[in-house]
Structure formats: C-alpha cells, structure tokens
C-alpha cells in the first residue's frame, strides 16, 4: 500500500525520507526495473507546448452571464483555461427556443430554462445577434460597409469581455450571417429544412445560409474584425488574435443547402480569408497586423483534410471537431488524418491544427462521468494530441449551465463542484504555462505506451522544471521510471489521481513511480 499525503502539504514536511538539497537525484548502481521507461533530454525540447491546449468552447457565456459567477471563474482558472472559443452571433442547440415553428407546428412543451423570453420572435433573435444591421432589405453597398452605424458589435464585444474576465484569450468564430447580407431574409424554421427544428432556433434559413454577395460579405467581415480589434465609436480595441470562419458548414443545419451548397461556403471562405489577409497586411494597427486567420470548425476530420489540401486561399490554421468517439485513440486518429493531409498539401504545410470542439461521444456516450472514464479519456487526448501537433484544443463545454448534470457535457457541475474530469485539467494546468516546451520520450515520441492504453506527456516550463504526466487506462497497475542523460531521476513530487470521489493526492516519491490502475499521475522533477 502506498502512502498518501494531503495535496497541500509539501513532500519535504510530510516524509521522514525527504529529499535534501545535497541528496543524489540519480541511481549510481544502475536503473531499477519499471514497466514504462521514459527517457527524456531536457536540453532538446521537441516543440512548444501551448497553453491553448487547455482551451474551452462555449457559446453561452454572455447569454447566461458567466461573468456573474465568481465561483465558476475561480475553478476554471485552476483548470488552466487560457483560451475560450466564442462566436460573433450564433447560439447553440436547446437555447433560446420558441414555442412553435414558422409553419405553425407546436414545439411545446419546452422546459423553462431553454425558452427564449416570452413574446420573442425569430426576427427578434436574429436582430439581437446580427453584427451588421438590417434596414430595408436593399442590397448592401460599399458605402454602407464604410458606415460605422451599420456595425452592431455590442454582442461580440460582450462575449470577448466575458472571456477576458476569466483570464482567457477569446478565439472568435465568424459563425453568423447577418440578415442584411444573407441570401435569404425571411426566417423559415421547419422540419423540412432541418429535422427536429424545434431544438434549434438559430437554424432559421437566414443566419445559416450563404451571403447574397460573397465579396460584399468579405468586406463586411473586414469591417467587423477591424472595428473589434482596433476599436470604434469610442469602444477600445480588443486584441483578439484568432479569427475563424465558419462552423460545421458541411452540415445542413449550419449552411443551408437549399440556399447554397458547400461549394458556396468554400467560395465565401476563400474571399473572406483573402480580404482579411489584405487587411492585416495594410493596417498600421499592431493588433490588426497580428491577427491569425483560418477556417473550418468542420464537423469531421475528413472535411478538414480535404479542404487543407485543395483550398487556394491564405490561412494560418484549419480547425475541426471530434465529438463522436468514447475511445480517445479515435480522437487521435482524427488528428492524424488532418496532420497527414497538411503534410501532403502544397501550400499549407505550416498551418496550425486546431481541435476547435472535442469531447467523448456527445450523443451516445457509454462513459460514466462519475468514474475515472472521462478523466482518462480527456487526459489521453491532450497528452497524445500534443505529440501529433495540435496547438489549440477547445473542450466542449466546461459548465453544466442549466441544472445538475444538464446539459451534461461539462466537467464542472451546475453548483460549481468539479466532476472527475476536471482534475485531469487541474493536473495538466500545473505543467503547462505560457512558455512550456514539450519533451518527447526517446523511443516513444508519440507518447504512447501499452499500445495507447498508456499515455505520457512531458514538459519543461519557463523556469526549467520538468514535469511528466502519466495516464494509465489499463485495469492493472503499472510502474515507470524517468531516465535523464545523467541517469534515473528521483521525483521531487508525485501526485496521483485514481479515486473519482476524491481530489488528487501527493504520494511518497521514489525512483520507481507507481501508476495505479485507471489513474493519472503527475511527476515533478527537482
């Protein structure tokens, strides 16, 4: 039986065999045996380990006033949330629902929390989120694009400000077609347009369709981005770096094929990205010059793979989702698909890979959120995803904002108590800072042990300290040792998480590290 120590106590004051400053950190007579031998060279980091790997996705921060939830802010800071993917206008499934479809079909009964305010209409919902205002339905001209009064940026600024209140950088998705720019200006929500249309009011055949004129839309996007980043009408600039065009446009709910097919999305994307690229090259504003632009948030890795190889447009990143696999190696397979396509591309070999929404299977999961299941899933995805080259990962979502375990995707429950998966993030946050570097295990550069049932992520922080995260999904325990160029290291601290009903605990450190069955272990070296 190992010795458990309260996590808030240091090793030095808790163990009679504490390490001292002059104690040796390596074994002089040869290394001990271990199941996993993790060989590292801190002098040769492989790549940066971005803190944006601990990012989150949630469109409801402004809608449900997350900035008024100080307990939530506190727990998310501990979980390392440094980036938050938000949108310029779109709202999610099962939010802002209306009592009937536009053809009169009843959607009642609806639970009170999911309903839009009484008396709300489709046009009210659209008007509140349109970032370019509708007037009389006349085609938008270039002169109108230059008119500050046509840009309604209160909502997008509010979502950026909520992210900022959490200490997170806003990553903004241009995910909503304003009515004035839309190819269709009359709301239509019927089951013929999208099955189960009662469950989403954003899919209204106005906000989710192609623009009437793609070049004009591209110009309006430049107007949006430049005014947000540089400031306008007395509002200060908000230095958003990442601007993404589109969300799941290959799916009919997000880009209505009755108005324009997926090819029209790609045409619009190319024009918009080209316009944004020209803007950043010609603006004299430093924050405008620094924006990074990309596209996607594609629902599937296959779509992202095809686009990165074939779209002739300037972009810095491509983004995609993986929310259908309870096996973390399924998520890793999606990442590998896009990484291989990037490598095979002619023009985009340097594009960042962004996992813009990810989770276990969000519609049919068999994982138990009260067990170690989801914590192990998430820790494995992040450990191995970093090795495959993902630079941003936005977990969907972080808080069950409606009620206890509803909608059920968060790792923080409605009352702000952490679920087990939260602690995977809290441990990762201890090893990833803004200047961390990844150390690839020699001979296991992809981080996989036991054919992926084990995962290892090693990092050196900005101060030179080395930490190693060990994930064991096996139903039996494993042991590990960490070999440095000078020999086998003795950890200064070992934190183990294997009980989903308790917080991670510090345990007695030794050169042979015990990794219990179905556990996550964080190792710190002196």
């Amino acid at each position: 039986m190992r010795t458990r120590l309260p996590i808030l106590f240091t090793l030095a004051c808790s163990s009679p065999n504490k390490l001292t400053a002059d104690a040796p950190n390596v074994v002089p007579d040869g290394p001990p045996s271990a199941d996993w031998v993790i060989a590292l060279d801190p002098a040769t980091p492989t790549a940066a380990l971005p803190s944006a790997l601990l990012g989150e996705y949630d469109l409801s921060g402004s809608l449900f006033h997350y900035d008024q939830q100080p307990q939530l802010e506190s727990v998310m800071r501990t979980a390392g949330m440094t980036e938050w993917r938000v949108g310029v206008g779109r709202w999610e499934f099962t939010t802002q629902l209306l009592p009937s479809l536009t053809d009169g079909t009843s959607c009642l009964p609806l639970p009170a929390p999911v309903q839009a305010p009484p008396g709300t209409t489709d046009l009210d919902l659209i008007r509140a989120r349109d970032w370019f205002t509708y007037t009389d339905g006349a085609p938008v001209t270039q002169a109108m694009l230059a008119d500050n009064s046509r840009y309604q940026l209160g909502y997008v600024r509010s979502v950026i400000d909520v992210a900022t209140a959490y200490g997170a950088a806003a990553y903004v998705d241009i995910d909503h077609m304003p009515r004035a720019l839309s190819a269709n200006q009359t709301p239509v929500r019927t089951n013929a347009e999208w099955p189960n249309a009662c469950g989403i009011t954003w899919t209204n055949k106005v906000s989710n369709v192609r623009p009437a004129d793609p070049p004009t839309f591209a110009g309006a996007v430049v107007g949006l981005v430049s005014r947000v980043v540089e400031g306008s009408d007395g509002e200060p600039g908000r230095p958003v770096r990442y601007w993404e065009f589109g969300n799941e446009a290959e799916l009919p709910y997000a880009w209505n094929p009755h108005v324009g097919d997926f090819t029209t999305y790609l045409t619009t994307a190319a024009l918009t990205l080209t316009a944004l690229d020209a803007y950043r090259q010609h603006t004299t504003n430093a924050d405008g010059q620094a924006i990074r632009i990309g596209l996607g948030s594609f629902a599937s890795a296959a779509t992202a793979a095809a686009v990165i190889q074939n779209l002739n447009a300037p972009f810095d990143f491509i983004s995609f989702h993986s929310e259908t696999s309870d096996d973390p190696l399924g998520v890793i397979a999606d990442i590998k698909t896009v990484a291989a396509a990037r490598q095979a591309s002619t023009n985009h070999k340097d594009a960042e890979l962004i996992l813009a929404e990810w989770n276990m299977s969000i519609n049919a999961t068999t994982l138990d959120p009260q067990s170690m299941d989801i914590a192990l899933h998430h820790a494995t995805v992040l450990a191995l995803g970093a090795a495959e080259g993902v630079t941003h990962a936005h977990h969907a979502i972080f808080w069950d904002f409606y009620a206890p375990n509803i909608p059920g995707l968060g790792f923080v429950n409605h009352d702000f108590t952490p679920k087990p998966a939260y602690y995977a993030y809290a441990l990762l946050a201890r090893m990833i800072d803004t200047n961390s570097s990844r150390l690839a295990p020699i001979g296991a550069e992809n981080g996989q042990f036991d054919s992926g049932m084990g995962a290892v992520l090693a990092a050196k922080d900005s101060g030179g300290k080395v930490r190693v995260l060990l994930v064991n999904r096996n139903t039996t325990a494993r042991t590990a040792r960490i070999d440095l160029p000078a020999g086998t290291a003795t950890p200064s601290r070992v934190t183990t998480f294997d009980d989903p009903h308790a917080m991670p605990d510090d345990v007695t450190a030794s050169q042979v590290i015990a990794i219990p069955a179905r556990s996550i272990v964080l190792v710190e070296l002196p």
Side-chain angles (χ1 to χ4, degrees), residues 106-472:
S106 176
C107 293
L108 298 176
L110 292 171
V114 308
Q115 296 182 40
T120 300
T121 67
D122 283 285
L123 290 179
D124 292 333
L125 293 176
I126 292 168
R127 188 181 303 112
R129 296 297 182 91
D130 274 0
W131 49 267
F132 193 88
T133 59
Y134 178 88
T135 55
D136 58 4
V140 175
T141 65
Q142 289 298 313
M144 294 174 185
L145 296 182
D147 181 359
N148 271 346
S149 69
R150 294 300 297 270
Y151 292 88
Q152 179 178 275
L153 304 179
Y155 175 75
V156 65
R157 284 174 171 144
S158 75
V159 300
I160 294 168
D161 291 346
V162 171
T164 302
Y166 275 63
Y171 169 114
V172 179
D173 183 15
I174 303 163
D175 57 359
H176 176 87
M177 184 63 63
R179 187 183 179 201
L181 299 167
S182 178
N184 176 62
Q185 297 182 340
T186 302
V188 179
R189 283 185 303 107
T190 66
N191 290 319
E193 295 294 335
W194 173 254
N196 194 25
C198 283
I200 180 169
T201 49
W202 179 78
T203 298
N204 52 41
K205 209 174 182 179
V206 175
S207 307
N208 63 324
V209 305
R210 68 172 178 84
D213 183 66
T216 300
F217 173 79
V221 169
V222 171
L224 159 73
V225 172
S226 62
R227 284 166 174 80
V228 170
V229 171
E230 300 183 20
S232 65
D233 291 335
E235 283 283 344
R238 287 152 173 85
V240 174
R241 290 292 180 263
Y242 281 80
W243 292 90
E244 171 189 79
F245 177 64
N247 180 78
E248 298 190 330
E250 77 267 48
L251 300 184
Y253 89 90
W255 193 269
N256 191 312
H258 300 151
V259 181
D261 62 14
F262 185 63
T263 300
T264 67
Y265 163 79
L266 294 175
T267 299
T268 304
L271 288 166
T272 301
L273 293 167
T274 299
L276 286 172
D277 186 48
Y279 156 67
R280 65 181 175 181
Q281 291 185 44
H282 293 101
T283 183
T284 59
N285 180 274
D287 289 323
Q289 294 169 352
I291 65 168
R292 293 182 66 77
I293 57 176
L295 77 161
S297 265
F298 295 117
S300 78
T303 305
V307 170
I308 199 170
Q309 291 189 79
N310 296 306
L311 186 66
N312 183 19
F315 56 88
D316 304 306
F317 63 87
I318 194 159
S319 55
F320 57 99
H321 300 173
S322 186
E323 302 171 298
T324 61
S325 181
D326 281 348
D327 183 353
L329 298 186
V331 181
I332 300 306
D334 285 344
I335 296 169
K336 288 182 176 180
T337 294
V338 185
R342 175 180 63 176
Q343 184 59 35
S345 71
T346 301
N347 299 317
H348 300 295
K349 293 184 185 296
D350 296 326
E352 288 187 77
L353 302 184
I354 294 181
L355 195 57
E357 290 182 36
W358 73 276
N359 210 319
M360 72 285 178
S361 177
I362 61 174
N363 292 319
T365 186
T366 60
L367 302 183
D368 178 4
Q370 302 306 321
S371 74
M372 290 295 293
D373 285 356
I374 298 177
L376 292 167
H377 178 280
H378 291 2
T380 300
V381 168
L382 291 171
L384 301 184
E388 298 299 335
V390 168
T391 55
H392 301 242
H394 305 135
H395 175 271
I397 59 177
F398 58 89
W399 182 40
D400 285 338
F401 49 80
Y402 275 139
N405 300 309
I406 300 174
L409 300 177
F411 53 61
V412 178
N413 217 329
H414 186 66
D415 63 357
F416 313 115
T417 57
K419 299 181 187 181
Y422 171 86
Y423 294 111
Y425 271 79
L427 291 173
L428 281 157
R430 279 173 42 186
M431 69 181 297
I432 301 176
D433 66 17
T434 54
N435 293 297
S436 294
S437 299
R438 187 173 63 85
L439 305 174
I442 298 168
E445 285 76 10
N446 63 3
Q448 294 192 27
F449 289 77
D450 292 352
S451 300
M453 292 300 290
V456 172
L457 178 65
K460 182 173 70 172
D461 70 15
S462 54
K465 178 175 280 292
V466 172
R467 295 177 177 86
V468 183
L469 188 82
L470 311 172
V471 185
N472 179 18

